[in-house]
Amino acid sequence: MDSVPGLDLSQPPFDLLDAGQQSRLRAAVDMGFHPAGTTILDAGSDSPHVHVILKGVVRAWDERSEGATLFADFGPGDLFGAWAVIAGRARHRYVAEEDVLDFLLPAGVFRRLLADNPAFAAYFHEGLSLKRRIAAGDQQPSELSELMLTRVRDAQLAPAIRIAAATPIREAASRMREARVDCLLVEGRRDADADPLGIVTRTDLLDALALDARPPDAAVGPLARRPVVAVRANDVLFQALVTMTEHHIERVLVDDDAEGVLGTLGMAEVLAHYASHSHLISLRLERAATLDDVSAAAREMTTLVRHLHAQGARMSYLMELVSALNGRILGHVFDAVVPAALRERTCLLALGSEGRREQILKTDQDNALVLADGFEWDGLADAMQRFGDALADIGYPPCPGGVMVRNPAWRLDVAGWRGRIEHWRHDRDPESAMALSIALDARPVAGNPALFEPVGAAMGALGRDEILLRELARSTLAFSTPLTLFGRMRGSAEGIDLKKGGIFPLVHGIRVLALRHGVTRHNSFDRCAALMQAGALSSELGRDVPQALAVMMRMRLGAQLQALAEGRDADNRVDPGRLRRLDRELLRDALRVVNAFKDHLRDSFQLRAG
């Protein structure tokens, strides 16, 4: 029998087959025709074929107790029915929206290919995880791949040279020269409360001799800085870069649970693997003397994001790095408007996506202020106005809802915050629910973080209020999942709003589950891991939800960067017509996860679909 022409086997997942397997598939494929309105495959039924559409549109419908809901549109080049062949039951009901011509891949041949080709089988069994790796493989290789894959233990570590606290400065300098290192680990406590291990650098010794006029025979112990910041040996180099950026340091200790201290890692060793100008931004922020200097450094952020995104940076790493730099920016601006003597009585909080460490491009200001009880400062209102104005000049526009420190409602003392939280608990109107949701992501970024501890504890206590939790969880169902993906968007011709239809339900649902189960982490990916460990998410959802979130965030970021490059405002919309076929498949899988997660929330909080 002659093979049917037109089936493109150069596209995923068929490109995973070897030449012999592709020939076998070509010889077995047949053609099908389905008039408009025909049910091609019923939900829950087996299928004799896997379908690849040549012409026409097929709509997939979810069958629920409250009625059928549209899941997705499938168009030319799209594949459906594989799950019905693998598991013996279709996930959806597939109906020809218009006359459909498709390729029919016999179930027996398809199962044999799955058995003979582990990578081909993994594409269907592993879902999002493998598809993301395949999609990443389409991108051009770069030095960033090394940064993402290389473990800290495999970098060129400097030896960890230990000295006693009583060692003279002269001898410490000699040890550095002999070992060719630029730091030493200082053993022994300075006082009863200090950590047992400190670190002293070549610059510390030079400053002690040249600036502080210490004698060369003075003990090195008082110069040591504590605590020593460490990274795990199995962390990737990118994570070490994030840690150095966040802590304003250029060297970290490398620790392994089994082997102990392996050495130290400096910025120079990291940059030997990858020359990222994120370090240059960090240095510019470190040396910034004025707000103009901070603004100049901040303007480089979008270029950094564009570069890392183009090179395939993992979203979680990219968000952490940008968050670390944003934290530095917020801290610089805060220190510029609040006198040093008053900072111990204040604590600046980042809220929303910045509080979760998930803000990538500059968006609205979302921040708050915690004041020490009884603290009064006549210049507070003026300072917070200048803080907001400075952020606006840097590129963070004011929040339309007024969630920022220039608004007196978002700068309260500890007692005031406790009262506000109690108000949110009892006042169940939408405005209060929104304000509480934003506040639940609060993270200290400047000032005295200890002031936030009682506020954070008061918010954590809300996790015992099941009625409140149900009301918060219900809002995850407020927006329908945007499921018509083949260029047909329900309700809008401008594209899919990924924030409303996909990202918000996941982020907010994870946030509410975290509150219920006492998870104190703020980042959505970290919250997912903690929830799975606590048994609040199944292993399947615990694996798929972070993957789905990363897929949608990456696609949104790509669309936003494209909009900026074209001189348009960046928003949350993605045009499926501009996506590659594999990306459309990824997005469908991600939206399938959103629906599954919503079902999990309905069951967990006993919610009825509204």
Side-chain angles (χ1 to χ4, degrees):
M1 176 180 176
D2 294 334
S3 61
V4 176
L7 179 60
D8 186 358
L9 300 184
S10 68
Q11 296 293 324
F14 301 114
D15 61 340
L16 298 172
L17 302 173
D18 63 32
Q21 292 164 344
Q22 288 186 350
S23 295
R24 191 192 318 165
L25 182 59
R26 284 194 184 95
V29 70
D30 203 349
M31 297 289 291
F33 174 74
H34 314 277
T38 303
T39 296
I40 303 173
L41 186 57
D42 263 321
S45 66
D46 196 356
S47 177
H49 304 101
V50 174
H51 301 256
V52 180
I53 300 173
L54 175 62
K55 183 179 180 182
V57 173
V58 173
R59 284 193 162 179
W61 296 86
D62 277 336
E63 304 291 344
R64 301 179 183 275
S65 58
E66 61 271 18
T69 58
L70 182 63
F71 172 73
D73 282 0
F74 291 80
D78 291 330
L79 177 152
F80 69 92
W83 185 252
V85 170
I86 294 170
R89 56 181 178 81
R91 286 170 167 158
H92 313 285
R93 177 166 57 92
Y94 296 89
V95 179
E97 174 68 12
E98 55 191 51
D99 289 351
V100 171
L101 188 64
D102 62 358
F103 299 103
L104 305 177
L105 285 51
V109 174
F110 186 76
R111 292 191 186 100
R112 181 62 183 273
L113 292 172
L114 294 175
D116 292 347
N117 190 314
F120 186 67
Y123 180 90
F124 296 96
H125 289 293
E126 295 188 24
L128 276 172
S129 179
L130 184 68
K131 289 174 187 174
R132 285 185 64 207
R133 293 199 294 273
I134 293 173
D138 283 347
Q139 297 174 0
Q140 296 181 353
S142 69
E143 297 91 341
L144 184 59
S145 300
E146 288 295 316
L147 196 63
M148 294 296 180
L149 297 175
T150 303
R151 301 292 173 182
V152 168
R153 66 167 61 251
D154 297 324
Q156 188 67 39
L157 303 181
I161 307 298
R162 296 172 180 257
I163 60 173
T167 303
I169 293 176
R170 178 187 289 107
E171 184 179 338
S174 297
R175 292 291 303 276
M176 283 187 185
R177 180 183 293 272
E178 293 168 3
R180 296 185 177 181
V181 296
D182 58 12
C183 73
L184 299 168
L185 301 180
V186 181
E187 296 180 317
R189 298 177 179 270
R190 284 186 308 181
D191 53 62
D193 297 323
D195 291 331
L197 195 65
I199 188 170
V200 63
T201 66
R202 190 185 307 276
T203 301
D204 293 331
L205 300 185
L206 179 61
D207 287 349
L209 294 171
L211 301 180
D212 299 337
R214 292 178 183 264
D217 292 331
V220 76
L223 306 180
R225 286 173 287 153
R226 295 175 172 87
V228 179
V229 177
V231 297
R232 295 183 297 273
N234 286 326
D235 286 346
V236 293
L237 285 179
F238 198 95
Q239 183 62 56
L241 176 62
V242 171
T243 299
M244 291 184 215
T245 300
E246 186 166 23
H247 290 275
H248 307 200
I249 57 178
E250 296 196 16
R251 185 161 293 276
V252 291
L253 193 69
V254 178
D255 195 15
D256 180 82
D257 292 338
E259 303 174 53
V261 175
L262 301 185
T264 67
L265 176 71
M267 190 67 72
E269 288 86 3
V270 174
L271 296 181
H273 287 267
Y274 179 64
S276 167
H277 79 281
S278 61
H279 179 49
L280 300 180
I281 296 176
S282 181
L283 286 177
R284 292 182 70 176
L285 289 172
E286 188 67 30
R287 297 168 180 170
T290 67
L291 288 179
D292 286 341
D293 295 336
V294 175
S295 182
R299 282 195 293 271
E300 299 296 324
M301 293 281 287
T302 299
T303 301
L304 171 65
V305 170
R306 188 185 302 280
H307 178 67
L308 294 179
H309 178 265
Q311 300 298 340
R314 185 182 298 181
M315 287 302 298
S316 56
Y317 293 155
L318 178 54
M319 289 187 297
E320 285 190 63
L321 177 60
V322 172
S323 176
L325 291 171
N326 280 340
R328 299 276 294 275
I329 292 170
L330 292 173
H332 271 287
V333 178
F334 187 78
D335 289 350
V337 301
V338 177
L342 303 181
R343 293 172 199 158
E344 280 296 307
R345 312 292 303 280
T346 61
C347 176
L348 177 68
L349 305 177
L351 308 178
S353 58
E354 183 59 46
R356 296 191 306 273
R357 300 179 183 271
E358 293 169 13
Q359 182 169 232
I360 301 178
L361 297 179
K362 298 184 183 73
T363 56
D364 298 342
Q365 298 177 33
D366 282 325
N367 46 56
L369 195 67
V370 182
L371 306 171
D373 286 333
F375 174 64
E376 294 183 3
W377 176 29
D378 291 340
L380 178 62
D382 179 64
M384 294 304 99
Q385 181 67 42
R386 287 188 286 118
F387 177 82
D389 291 344
L391 288 184
D393 291 339
I394 289 173
Y396 297 89
C399 173
V403 183
M404 38 189 182
V405 293
R406 64 205 294 179
N407 182 349
W410 288 92
R411 54 174 196 261
L412 305 170
D413 60 18
V414 173
W417 277 113
R418 284 173 167 162
R420 183 92 181 274
I421 293 166
E422 193 64 19
H423 166 76
W424 286 334
R425 176 181 178 181
H426 294 289
D427 192 351
R428 305 286 167 76
D429 63 87
E431 184 178 345
S432 293
M434 179 62 71
L436 174 57
S437 298
I438 294 171
L440 286 173
D441 294 327
R443 175 173 62 90
V445 292
N448 181 7
L451 291 174
F452 176 67
E453 293 176 5
V455 178
M459 284 193 283
L462 298 177
R464 297 190 291 269
D465 189 331
E466 279 294 317
I467 297 177
L468 173 64
L469 291 173
R470 287 187 65 198
E471 290 303 312
L472 290 175
R474 193 181 301 279
S475 62
T476 60
L477 312 178
F479 302 108
S480 62
T481 310
L483 299 172
T484 53
L485 296 183
F486 195 70
R488 293 169 170 81
M489 279 64 68
R490 289 186 295 153
S492 173
E494 299 174 355
I496 292 173
D497 190 326
L498 281 186
K499 181 176 181 179
K500 288 182 178 180
I503 294 173
F504 172 78
L506 294 184
V507 168
H508 185 59
I510 292 166
R511 176 166 51 209
V512 178
L513 286 173
L515 181 61
R516 174 192 251 185
H517 292 277
V519 174
T520 57
R521 300 176 184 177
H522 292 83
N523 178 266
S524 296
F525 297 90
D526 292 340
R527 282 170 169 168
C528 259
L531 288 169
M532 186 168 64
Q533 188 174 10
L537 281 180
S538 66
S539 59
E540 182 178 5
L541 279 178
R543 176 199 67 206
D544 288 346
V545 167
Q547 296 282 352
L549 191 56
V551 163
M552 290 185 289
M553 286 180 168
R554 178 180 66 81
M555 291 185 180
R556 179 179 66 170
L557 176 59
Q560 290 173 334
L561 291 172
Q562 182 66 30
L564 293 176
E566 296 172 356
R568 298 182 285 111
D569 291 336
D571 57 22
N572 295 302
R573 296 188 177 276
V574 170
D575 180 3
R578 301 181 72 167
L579 297 177
R580 300 175 304 167
R581 190 168 77 186
L582 179 55
D583 281 334
R584 289 203 306 272
E585 175 118 0
L586 278 169
L587 187 49
R588 285 196 188 100
D589 281 354
L591 294 172
R592 180 182 291 118
V593 173
V594 173
N595 279 343
F597 182 68
K598 285 182 176 180
D599 287 341
H600 175 72
L601 290 175
R602 288 186 181 97
D603 294 339
S604 297
F605 293 98
Q606 300 179 348
L607 298 172
R608 294 183 179 180

Short mmCIF file of all heavy atoms in Angstrom, two decimals, residues 64 473-483 500-506 509 541 545 591-607 609:
data_model
loop_
_atom_site.label_atom_id
_atom_site.label_comp_id
_atom_site.label_asym_id
_atom_site.label_seq_id
_atom_site.Cartn_x
_atom_site.Cartn_y
_atom_site.Cartn_z
N ARG A 64 -18.98 17.69 32.09
CA ARG A 64 -19.08 17.87 33.54
C ARG A 64 -20.54 17.74 33.96
O ARG A 64 -21.46 17.80 33.14
CB ARG A 64 -18.53 19.23 33.96
CG ARG A 64 -17.07 19.45 33.59
CD ARG A 64 -16.61 20.83 34.03
NE ARG A 64 -15.24 21.07 33.63
CZ ARG A 64 -14.18 20.70 34.33
NH1 ARG A 64 -14.35 20.05 35.48
NH2 ARG A 64 -12.97 20.95 33.91
N ALA A 473 -10.84 30.76 48.10
CA ALA A 473 -10.67 29.75 47.06
C ALA A 473 -11.69 29.91 45.94
O ALA A 473 -11.40 29.62 44.77
CB ALA A 473 -10.77 28.35 47.67
N ARG A 474 -12.89 30.37 46.29
CA ARG A 474 -13.94 30.50 45.30
C ARG A 474 -13.54 31.45 44.16
O ARG A 474 -13.96 31.28 43.01
CB ARG A 474 -15.23 30.99 45.96
CG ARG A 474 -16.47 30.85 45.07
CD ARG A 474 -17.71 31.37 45.79
NE ARG A 474 -17.97 30.66 47.02
CZ ARG A 474 -18.60 29.47 47.08
NH1 ARG A 474 -19.00 28.88 45.96
NH2 ARG A 474 -18.81 28.89 48.24
N SER A 475 -12.72 32.45 44.47
CA SER A 475 -12.35 33.42 43.44
C SER A 475 -11.46 32.81 42.37
O SER A 475 -11.30 33.39 41.29
CB SER A 475 -11.66 34.63 44.06
OG SER A 475 -10.46 34.25 44.72
N THR A 476 -10.87 31.62 42.63
CA THR A 476 -10.09 30.97 41.57
C THR A 476 -10.98 30.52 40.43
O THR A 476 -10.49 30.26 39.33
CB THR A 476 -9.33 29.75 42.13
OG1 THR A 476 -10.27 28.81 42.64
CG2 THR A 476 -8.37 30.16 43.23
N LEU A 477 -12.28 30.41 40.68
CA LEU A 477 -13.22 29.95 39.66
C LEU A 477 -13.89 31.12 38.94
O LEU A 477 -14.76 30.90 38.10
CB LEU A 477 -14.29 29.06 40.29
CG LEU A 477 -13.78 27.95 41.22
CD1 LEU A 477 -14.95 27.19 41.81
CD2 LEU A 477 -12.84 27.01 40.48
N ALA A 478 -13.47 32.34 39.27
CA ALA A 478 -14.16 33.52 38.74
C ALA A 478 -13.96 33.68 37.24
O ALA A 478 -14.82 34.22 36.54
CB ALA A 478 -13.69 34.77 39.47
N PHE A 479 -12.81 33.24 36.73
CA PHE A 479 -12.51 33.41 35.31
C PHE A 479 -12.50 32.05 34.63
O PHE A 479 -11.88 31.11 35.13
CB PHE A 479 -11.16 34.10 35.10
CG PHE A 479 -11.07 35.45 35.76
CD1 PHE A 479 -10.29 35.63 36.89
CD2 PHE A 479 -11.77 36.53 35.27
CE1 PHE A 479 -10.20 36.87 37.51
CE2 PHE A 479 -11.69 37.78 35.87
CZ PHE A 479 -10.90 37.94 37.00
N SER A 480 -13.15 31.95 33.48
CA SER A 480 -13.14 30.70 32.74
C SER A 480 -11.79 30.52 32.06
O SER A 480 -11.11 31.49 31.72
CB SER A 480 -14.26 30.68 31.70
OG SER A 480 -14.07 31.72 30.76
N THR A 481 -11.40 29.27 31.89
CA THR A 481 -10.14 28.98 31.23
C THR A 481 -10.26 29.27 29.74
O THR A 481 -11.18 28.78 29.10
CB THR A 481 -9.75 27.51 31.46
OG1 THR A 481 -9.86 27.21 32.84
CG2 THR A 481 -8.35 27.23 30.98
N PRO A 482 -9.36 30.07 29.15
CA PRO A 482 -9.45 30.42 27.72
C PRO A 482 -8.98 29.26 26.86
O PRO A 482 -7.80 29.05 26.67
CB PRO A 482 -8.50 31.62 27.60
CG PRO A 482 -7.49 31.38 28.67
CD PRO A 482 -8.20 30.69 29.80
N LEU A 483 -9.91 28.50 26.34
CA LEU A 483 -9.55 27.21 25.78
C LEU A 483 -9.64 27.11 24.27
O LEU A 483 -9.36 26.06 23.72
CB LEU A 483 -10.45 26.13 26.41
CG LEU A 483 -10.27 26.04 27.92
CD1 LEU A 483 -11.30 25.11 28.51
CD2 LEU A 483 -8.89 25.59 28.28
N LYS A 500 -5.65 36.04 33.67
CA LYS A 500 -6.97 35.74 34.20
C LYS A 500 -7.33 34.27 34.03
O LYS A 500 -7.86 33.64 34.93
CB LYS A 500 -8.03 36.61 33.50
CG LYS A 500 -8.01 38.07 33.90
CD LYS A 500 -9.13 38.82 33.20
CE LYS A 500 -9.18 40.28 33.62
NZ LYS A 500 -10.27 41.01 32.93
N GLY A 501 -7.06 33.75 32.85
CA GLY A 501 -7.54 32.41 32.55
C GLY A 501 -6.65 31.29 33.01
O GLY A 501 -7.11 30.15 33.12
N GLY A 502 -5.37 31.56 33.28
CA GLY A 502 -4.47 30.47 33.63
C GLY A 502 -3.58 30.74 34.82
O GLY A 502 -3.52 29.94 35.76
N ILE A 503 -2.85 31.86 34.80
CA ILE A 503 -1.86 32.11 35.85
C ILE A 503 -2.54 32.42 37.18
O ILE A 503 -2.16 31.86 38.23
CB ILE A 503 -0.92 33.25 35.42
CG1 ILE A 503 -0.09 32.82 34.21
CG2 ILE A 503 0.00 33.66 36.57
CD1 ILE A 503 0.75 33.93 33.59
N PHE A 504 -3.54 33.30 37.17
CA PHE A 504 -4.20 33.67 38.43
C PHE A 504 -4.82 32.47 39.15
O PHE A 504 -4.62 32.31 40.36
CB PHE A 504 -5.26 34.74 38.20
CG PHE A 504 -6.10 35.02 39.41
CD1 PHE A 504 -5.62 35.80 40.46
CD2 PHE A 504 -7.38 34.47 39.54
CE1 PHE A 504 -6.38 36.04 41.59
CE2 PHE A 504 -8.15 34.71 40.67
CZ PHE A 504 -7.65 35.49 41.70
N PRO A 505 -5.59 31.59 38.47
CA PRO A 505 -6.16 30.45 39.20
C PRO A 505 -5.11 29.58 39.87
O PRO A 505 -5.32 29.10 40.98
CB PRO A 505 -6.92 29.68 38.11
CG PRO A 505 -7.22 30.68 37.06
CD PRO A 505 -6.05 31.63 37.07
N LEU A 506 -3.97 29.38 39.21
CA LEU A 506 -2.92 28.57 39.81
C LEU A 506 -2.26 29.29 40.97
O LEU A 506 -2.12 28.74 42.07
CB LEU A 506 -1.87 28.19 38.76
CG LEU A 506 -2.32 27.27 37.62
CD1 LEU A 506 -1.14 26.92 36.73
CD2 LEU A 506 -2.98 26.00 38.15
N GLY A 509 -4.85 29.87 43.84
CA GLY A 509 -5.23 28.60 44.46
C GLY A 509 -4.10 28.04 45.31
O GLY A 509 -4.33 27.53 46.42
N LEU A 541 -0.37 16.43 40.39
CA LEU A 541 -0.58 17.88 40.39
C LEU A 541 0.67 18.60 40.87
O LEU A 541 1.02 19.67 40.35
CB LEU A 541 -1.77 18.26 41.27
CG LEU A 541 -3.16 18.11 40.65
CD1 LEU A 541 -4.23 18.47 41.67
CD2 LEU A 541 -3.30 18.97 39.40
N VAL A 545 1.47 21.25 38.04
CA VAL A 545 1.10 22.65 38.28
C VAL A 545 2.30 23.59 38.10
O VAL A 545 2.19 24.61 37.40
CB VAL A 545 0.45 22.82 39.67
CG1 VAL A 545 0.37 24.29 40.05
CG2 VAL A 545 -0.95 22.20 39.68
N LEU A 591 -3.32 24.41 30.16
CA LEU A 591 -4.70 24.74 30.49
C LEU A 591 -5.47 23.52 30.99
O LEU A 591 -6.38 23.64 31.82
CB LEU A 591 -5.39 25.36 29.28
CG LEU A 591 -4.84 26.73 28.87
CD1 LEU A 591 -5.45 27.18 27.56
CD2 LEU A 591 -5.06 27.77 29.94
N ARG A 592 -5.09 22.35 30.50
CA ARG A 592 -5.69 21.13 31.04
C ARG A 592 -5.33 21.00 32.53
O ARG A 592 -6.16 20.60 33.35
CB ARG A 592 -5.19 19.91 30.27
CG ARG A 592 -5.78 18.59 30.76
CD ARG A 592 -5.23 17.41 30.00
NE ARG A 592 -5.69 17.39 28.64
CZ ARG A 592 -4.89 17.49 27.58
NH1 ARG A 592 -3.59 17.62 27.75
NH2 ARG A 592 -5.39 17.45 26.36
N VAL A 593 -4.10 21.35 32.87
CA VAL A 593 -3.68 21.31 34.28
C VAL A 593 -4.46 22.33 35.11
O VAL A 593 -4.85 22.05 36.25
CB VAL A 593 -2.15 21.57 34.39
CG1 VAL A 593 -1.74 21.71 35.85
CG2 VAL A 593 -1.38 20.43 33.74
N VAL A 594 -4.70 23.52 34.53
CA VAL A 594 -5.49 24.53 35.24
C VAL A 594 -6.87 23.97 35.59
O VAL A 594 -7.35 24.12 36.73
CB VAL A 594 -5.64 25.81 34.39
CG1 VAL A 594 -6.60 26.80 35.06
CG2 VAL A 594 -4.28 26.48 34.20
N ASN A 595 -7.51 23.30 34.64
CA ASN A 595 -8.82 22.72 34.91
C ASN A 595 -8.75 21.64 35.98
O ASN A 595 -9.61 21.56 36.86
CB ASN A 595 -9.41 22.13 33.62
CG ASN A 595 -10.05 23.19 32.75
OD1 ASN A 595 -10.34 24.29 33.21
ND2 ASN A 595 -10.26 22.89 31.49
N ALA A 596 -7.72 20.80 35.91
CA ALA A 596 -7.57 19.75 36.92
C ALA A 596 -7.34 20.36 38.30
O ALA A 596 -7.86 19.86 39.31
CB ALA A 596 -6.41 18.83 36.54
N PHE A 597 -6.57 21.44 38.35
CA PHE A 597 -6.30 22.09 39.64
C PHE A 597 -7.57 22.74 40.18
O PHE A 597 -7.83 22.69 41.39
CB PHE A 597 -5.20 23.13 39.46
CG PHE A 597 -4.81 23.83 40.73
CD1 PHE A 597 -4.16 23.14 41.75
CD2 PHE A 597 -5.09 25.18 40.92
CE1 PHE A 597 -3.80 23.77 42.92
CE2 PHE A 597 -4.74 25.82 42.08
CZ PHE A 597 -4.09 25.11 43.10
N LYS A 598 -8.38 23.32 39.30
CA LYS A 598 -9.65 23.88 39.75
C LYS A 598 -10.54 22.79 40.33
O LYS A 598 -11.21 23.00 41.36
CB LYS A 598 -10.36 24.58 38.59
CG LYS A 598 -9.79 25.93 38.18
CD LYS A 598 -10.61 26.52 37.05
CE LYS A 598 -10.15 27.92 36.67
NZ LYS A 598 -10.95 28.49 35.57
N ASP A 599 -10.56 21.63 39.70
CA ASP A 599 -11.34 20.52 40.23
C ASP A 599 -10.84 20.11 41.61
O ASP A 599 -11.62 19.79 42.52
CB ASP A 599 -11.28 19.32 39.29
CG ASP A 599 -12.09 19.53 38.02
OD1 ASP A 599 -12.98 20.41 38.02
OD2 ASP A 599 -11.83 18.82 37.03
N HIS A 600 -9.52 20.14 41.78
CA HIS A 600 -8.94 19.82 43.08
C HIS A 600 -9.39 20.82 44.15
O HIS A 600 -9.71 20.44 45.29
CB HIS A 600 -7.41 19.81 42.98
CG HIS A 600 -6.71 19.61 44.28
ND1 HIS A 600 -6.68 18.40 44.95
CD2 HIS A 600 -6.02 20.49 45.06
CE1 HIS A 600 -6.00 18.53 46.08
NE2 HIS A 600 -5.58 19.79 46.17
N LEU A 601 -9.43 22.09 43.78
CA LEU A 601 -9.88 23.11 44.73
C LEU A 601 -11.36 22.93 45.05
O LEU A 601 -11.77 23.09 46.22
CB LEU A 601 -9.63 24.51 44.17
CG LEU A 601 -8.16 24.95 44.09
CD1 LEU A 601 -8.06 26.31 43.41
CD2 LEU A 601 -7.52 25.01 45.47
N ARG A 602 -12.16 22.62 44.05
CA ARG A 602 -13.59 22.38 44.30
C ARG A 602 -13.76 21.26 45.32
O ARG A 602 -14.58 21.36 46.24
CB ARG A 602 -14.30 22.01 43.00
CG ARG A 602 -14.49 23.17 42.02
CD ARG A 602 -15.35 22.73 40.84
NE ARG A 602 -15.52 23.80 39.87
CZ ARG A 602 -14.80 23.94 38.76
NH1 ARG A 602 -13.85 23.05 38.48
NH2 ARG A 602 -15.02 24.95 37.93
N ASP A 603 -12.99 20.19 45.15
CA ASP A 603 -13.10 19.06 46.08
C ASP A 603 -12.55 19.43 47.46
O ASP A 603 -13.15 19.08 48.49
CB ASP A 603 -12.35 17.86 45.53
CG ASP A 603 -12.98 17.30 44.26
OD1 ASP A 603 -14.17 17.58 44.04
OD2 ASP A 603 -12.27 16.61 43.50
N SER A 604 -11.43 20.13 47.49
CA SER A 604 -10.78 20.45 48.76
C SER A 604 -11.61 21.39 49.62
O SER A 604 -11.64 21.27 50.85
CB SER A 604 -9.40 21.08 48.51
OG SER A 604 -8.54 20.18 47.86
N PHE A 605 -12.28 22.36 48.96
CA PHE A 605 -13.04 23.37 49.71
C PHE A 605 -14.55 23.20 49.55
O PHE A 605 -15.30 24.07 49.97
CB PHE A 605 -12.62 24.77 49.25
CG PHE A 605 -11.20 25.12 49.62
CD1 PHE A 605 -10.17 24.98 48.70
CD2 PHE A 605 -10.89 25.56 50.90
CE1 PHE A 605 -8.87 25.30 49.04
CE2 PHE A 605 -9.59 25.88 51.24
CZ PHE A 605 -8.57 25.75 50.32
N GLN A 606 -14.95 22.07 48.93
CA GLN A 606 -16.37 21.76 48.77
C GLN A 606 -17.11 22.93 48.11
O GLN A 606 -18.12 23.44 48.60
CB GLN A 606 -17.00 21.43 50.13
CG GLN A 606 -16.36 20.23 50.81
CD GLN A 606 -16.99 19.92 52.15
OE1 GLN A 606 -17.75 20.72 52.69
NE2 GLN A 606 -16.67 18.76 52.70
N LEU A 607 -16.56 23.32 46.96
CA LEU A 607 -17.14 24.43 46.20
C LEU A 607 -17.95 23.90 45.04
O LEU A 607 -17.57 22.92 44.40
CB LEU A 607 -16.02 25.33 45.64
CG LEU A 607 -15.11 26.01 46.67
CD1 LEU A 607 -13.96 26.69 45.95
CD2 LEU A 607 -15.90 27.01 47.49
N ALA A 609 -19.36 24.80 41.29
CA ALA A 609 -19.01 25.70 40.19
C ALA A 609 -20.06 26.79 40.07
O ALA A 609 -21.25 26.53 40.12
CB ALA A 609 -18.92 24.93 38.88
#
